[in-house]
């Protein structure tokens, strides 16, 4: 126990006078109940020595490990508020995009070829729905027609249908797709080719929409 500076502050037993003590036992110095520093102010020097023994360069780097890892309640609240705000804005953005997507409607139905010019096993390249959206039409049977986007789902290289082998080949990176489904079989592609929906009226073949798929 630290002795008082003034010798008159001790009694005959050597203990501090009651006015300088506190607590249930009356022997703990009143200074022992002084509030300590804030939690974020606690610091531990790398060498463990007290602050008065630290070199002068540490004044330029006053933040030690406990302080740098301490997350104050205000910081945590700010994180929650910003995260919630970003989530809310994202939901509104998705809603706005869906609204405008519904207003744009489905792609127009467009004639792309005729049955008489496409023999069984033959292919025709066409553009749908935009002028830069290359697609390929394949006739695999007398009454079976397939159409896909011609852009590989890997890096948009032009794919080549091979009806005799039952696949669609991407020569850029040796990717392969199943001819009947457009799903990837081998190579870098992981997503299927977008499928073009078709309709036939008499001898005419029409593209009616695009199915963008992920699996």
């Amino acid at each position: 126990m630290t002795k008082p500076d003034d010798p008159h502050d001790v009694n005959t037993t050597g203990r501090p006078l009651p006015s300088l003590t506190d607590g249930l036992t009356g022997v703990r110095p009143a200074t022992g109940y002084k509030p300590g520093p804030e939690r974020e102010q606690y610091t531990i020097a790398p060498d463990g020595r007290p602050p008065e023994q630290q070199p002068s360069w540490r004044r330029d780097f006053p933040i030690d490990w406990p302080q740098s890892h301490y997350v104050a309640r205000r910081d945590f609240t700010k994180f929650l508020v910003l995260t919630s705000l970003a989530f809310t804005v994202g939901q509104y953005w998705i809603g706005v995009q869906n609204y405008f997507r519904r207003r744009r409607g489905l792609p127009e139905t467009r004639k792309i070829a005729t049955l008489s010019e496409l023999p069984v096993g033959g292919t025709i390249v066409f553009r749908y729905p935009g002028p830069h959206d290359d697609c390929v039409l394949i006739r695999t049977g007398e009454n079976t027609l397939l159409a896909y986007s011609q852009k590989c789902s890997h890096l948009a290289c032009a794919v080549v249908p091979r009806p005799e082998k039952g696949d669609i080949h991407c020569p850029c990176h040796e990717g392969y797709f199943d001819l009947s489904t457009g799903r990837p079989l081998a190579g870098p592609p992981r997503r299927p080719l977008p499928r073009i929906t078709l309709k036939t009226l008499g001898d005419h073949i029409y593209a009616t929409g695009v199915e963008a798929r992920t699996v």
Side-chain angles (χ1 to χ4, degrees):
M1 178 181 298
T2 303
K3 294 183 179 181
D5 296 334
D6 188 352
H8 299 288
D9 291 341
V10 297
N11 56 21
T12 55
T13 64
R15 293 182 176 179
L17 295 176
S19 60
L20 300 177
T21 61
D22 202 349
L24 296 176
T25 61
V27 297
R28 181 180 178 85
T31 56
Y33 296 94
K34 289 184 178 179
E38 296 294 334
R39 183 175 181 180
E40 62 269 24
Q41 299 301 322
Y42 282 109
T43 180
I44 300 175
D47 57 5
R49 292 184 299 176
E52 59 272 15
Q53 297 181 10
Q54 294 299 315
S56 58
W57 61 266
R58 278 184 51 77
R59 298 173 185 173
D60 298 330
F61 305 96
I63 304 301
D64 292 317
W65 189 92
Q67 291 173 290
S68 62
H69 287 71
Y70 179 74
V71 179
R73 182 182 304 173
R74 179 178 302 177
D75 296 334
F76 183 67
T77 303
K78 185 187 301 183
F79 170 77
L80 290 181
V81 171
L82 292 178
T83 303
S84 301
L85 179 62
F87 178 77
T88 303
V89 172
Q91 293 299 312
Y92 273 107
W93 176 253
I94 292 174
V96 171
Q97 290 293 315
N98 289 335
Y99 172 76
F100 284 106
R101 187 178 296 113
R102 285 194 297 269
R103 286 180 63 88
R104 284 196 296 267
L106 298 175
E108 63 174 347
T109 299
R110 185 187 309 164
K111 178 185 173 183
I112 56 175
T114 61
L115 290 174
S116 56
E117 65 182 357
L118 183 63
V120 175
T123 63
I124 290 179
V125 176
F126 63 100
R127 292 180 174 85
Y128 183 83
H132 302 292
D133 300 321
D134 295 335
C135 303
V136 60
L137 173 66
I138 313 133
R139 187 172 185 178
T140 57
E142 190 64 31
N143 299 313
T144 305
L145 295 170
L146 300 169
Y148 302 101
S149 169
Q150 201 183 16
K151 295 179 180 178
C152 179
S153 59
H154 176 223
L155 291 178
C157 293
V159 297
V160 180
R162 303 191 302 184
E164 71 282 3
K165 296 184 177 181
D167 63 23
I168 301 174
H169 178 222
C170 177
C172 291
H173 303 96
E174 295 300 320
Y176 294 89
F177 299 88
D178 183 77
L179 183 66
S180 60
T181 64
R183 291 186 168 85
L185 296 175
R190 293 293 180 268
R191 293 177 290 113
L193 296 170
R195 182 165 52 194
I196 311 300
T197 55
L198 303 171
K199 180 176 66 175
T200 57
L201 290 176
D203 189 51
H204 303 291
I205 305 171
Y206 296 87
T208 60
V210 180
E211 291 182 358
R213 303 168 295 170
T214 57
V215 293

